[in-house]
Amino acid sequence: MRNAYPPQTPGRQRGFTLVELLVVIAIIGTLVGLLLPAVQAARESARNNTCKNNMRQLALGLNTRESSLGDYPGYVNELGIADTTRLIRASWVVYTFPYVEQNALWERWSQGQVNPNMGALTDQLSSEDGEIAQLEVLTCPSDPPVTQGQPLLAYAANAGWAQRTAENLGSVPVGTASPFQPDDRENAANGIFFSRIRGWDASRLLGRPDNHAGTPEITMKAALIKDGLSQTVMLSENLRTINWAYLPADEYDVSGGTGNQKYHFGITWEQPETVATNLNAPIRINGNTEGETATTINSMVRTDGFPSSRHPGGVNMALMDGATRFVSDSISPFIYAQIMTSHAAKSDLHTNDGTRPEHYESQQPPVSAGDF
């Protein structure tokens, strides 16, 4: 009986046809196309988690300091040895150093040893001793530094209402003056971090008693946060923040350099009706993520003080209880302002018509966890 299948020639195998090869390539290409977005999403999720962990460490450091010393630092502070030439300006970031494994940095800063008068710094972005080095805990992986070694800052502290800042003293818009504080002084209910500088010119007096004899310095404590620690913002991401220290070196000097502004190291909020009537202006979360960015702290403007990030759809924020939340950039401007104030009913936040009703506190709707 004859074999129906002739024997194969020894050493010879059937290969792929061109059509089969093209089909295989097409299938592989389709699979890669389906897999790539998943890989990118997984990478962004990992970067997002790292960002939240950084903020959690910073919030823990600030809360630990408050538990130990009884208050939170200002967004900018006078630091060093009192009544000596070793007095410098330091942002809130410096006060986290003992709690984020930067004890050597804290020792130099707390003793005023980075004072340019002491010869420790130059006009370079960083010194040989590293007093103003780039720190990983201050960098969001989704927004990596362009220049390695520069002391970049991805996170900003809640500095309250944007209008109540040094550049607006004496010219606060109609309807926005605080019913609880003079126009030329900060209202503690507006936020958490305030200026703690006793400088010599008007741009350094905000929040200080120098021109208000007998009035107390504004200091924030956990007990003063009446709206709830879990419903009040401590820190947020901000792409517009530049450095965690004043640069160049002469900016460290308390008596000179750039005047203190909330947006140098902080985030701010605006009145809801102001946001509503300026929809194209960057006065909301992620309102300006691609525009021209200031290159020095001195060139920053008020609109640089609003949260922004490279994370799609919103920003990470750390709350006063240490928890981190991803807050959507579609959040209501009124809710955003509420979670930024430490005591909304006593803050400068007002209703859309620019007035504060007699029973404003009872009419203020409370913020719930589902609102942001």
Side-chain angles (χ1 to χ4, degrees):
M1 182 176 177
R2 297 182 61 185
N3 190 340
Y5 301 96
Q8 298 256 348
T9 303
R12 184 176 181 180
Q13 296 181 351
R14 180 178 177 272
F16 288 108
T17 66
L18 178 60
V19 172
E20 290 173 330
L21 184 60
L22 292 176
V23 169
V24 171
I25 293 175
I27 292 174
I28 293 175
T30 301
L31 292 175
V32 170
L34 293 173
L35 184 62
L36 189 58
V39 172
Q40 294 289 2
R43 288 177 176 174
E44 170 54 28
S45 178
R47 291 192 292 263
N48 194 27
N49 288 334
T50 299
C51 177
K52 287 182 176 179
N53 185 57
N54 288 343
M55 299 184 74
R56 194 175 295 114
Q57 290 185 61
L58 295 171
L60 176 61
L62 290 166
N63 279 332
T64 301
R65 181 188 186 278
E66 193 275 341
S67 297
S68 301
L69 301 180
D71 65 0
Y72 294 100
Y75 61 81
V76 63
N77 308 265
E78 191 174 277
L79 184 63
I81 304 175
D83 300 322
T84 71
T85 57
R86 289 190 177 185
L87 278 178
I88 55 177
R89 292 190 295 163
S91 71
W92 63 269
V93 175
V94 175
Y95 288 78
T96 69
F97 286 166
Y99 313 102
V100 293
E101 300 180 349
Q102 296 295 334
N103 292 316
L105 272 177
W106 171 248
E107 287 299 320
R108 295 186 63 82
W109 278 80
S110 62
Q111 296 179 34
Q113 291 185 5
V114 293
N115 189 322
N117 294 332
M118 303 302 295
L121 290 180
T122 67
D123 287 339
Q124 303 301 314
L125 290 177
S126 60
S127 69
E128 294 181 358
D129 296 326
E131 293 96 344
I132 47 177
Q134 177 181 318
L135 302 178
E136 186 175 352
V137 71
L138 303 177
T139 305
C140 172
S142 293
D143 183 34
V146 176
T147 304
Q148 292 297 320
Q150 186 172 345
L152 297 181
L153 177 63
Y155 311 113
N158 176 1
W161 185 30
Q163 292 287 353
R164 196 163 290 281
T165 189
E167 64 186 16
N168 288 330
L169 294 183
S171 60
V172 177
V174 176
T176 57
S178 168
F180 303 102
Q181 299 283 5
D183 290 350
D184 57 352
R185 193 156 57 91
E186 183 63 273
N187 178 359
N190 283 341
I192 302 297
F193 298 83
F194 306 98
S195 175
R196 301 283 291 275
I197 291 290
R198 294 182 181 273
W200 287 267
D201 58 85
S203 64
R204 302 177 190 279
L205 295 178
L206 194 65
R208 298 295 305 204
D210 303 69
N211 59 342
H212 294 280
T215 59
E217 174 187 348
I218 291 182
T219 57
M220 280 301 299
K221 305 176 182 180
L224 298 178
I225 302 172
K226 302 299 183 181
D227 291 343
L229 299 180
S230 63
Q231 297 175 345
T232 305
V233 174
M234 175 190 283
L235 307 172
S236 173
E237 294 181 90
N238 186 6
L239 299 174
R240 319 296 288 185
T241 307
I242 299 176
N243 302 312
W244 57 262
Y246 285 106
L247 298 175
D250 57 9
E251 294 290 352
Y252 287 100
D253 191 352
V254 173
S255 62
T258 303
N260 307 312
Q261 301 291 355
K262 293 175 179 291
Y263 45 80
H264 288 168
F265 309 106
I267 53 167
T268 58
W269 58 270
E270 227 346 325
Q271 298 294 347
E273 77 277 7
T274 303
V275 177
T277 55
N278 293 273
L279 293 179
N280 294 325
I283 53 176
R284 57 184 178 84
I285 294 179
N286 280 338
N288 188 357
T289 59
E290 302 297 338
E292 184 177 349
T293 304
T295 56
T296 64
I297 288 179
N298 192 37
S299 63
M300 294 178 71
V301 296
R302 182 170 60 87
T303 52
D304 286 332
F306 291 85
S308 57
S309 80
R310 297 295 181 202
H311 306 300
V315 300
N316 288 320
M317 291 186 176
L319 305 179
M320 294 304 299
D321 65 352
T324 56
R325 289 282 301 272
F326 185 77
V327 178
S328 171
D329 51 23
S330 62
I331 187 175
S332 159
F334 188 77
I335 296 298
Y336 169 67
Q338 279 187 292
I339 63 176
M340 287 285 287
T341 59
S342 60
H343 190 186
K346 298 295 184 182
S347 70
D348 288 314
L349 176 62
H350 52 64
T351 54
N352 287 339
D353 61 0
T355 63
R356 292 179 64 91
E358 181 180 356
H359 303 290
Y360 184 68
E361 184 168 0
S362 62
Q363 295 179 20
Q364 188 102 331
V367 177
S368 65
D371 290 331
F372 67 101

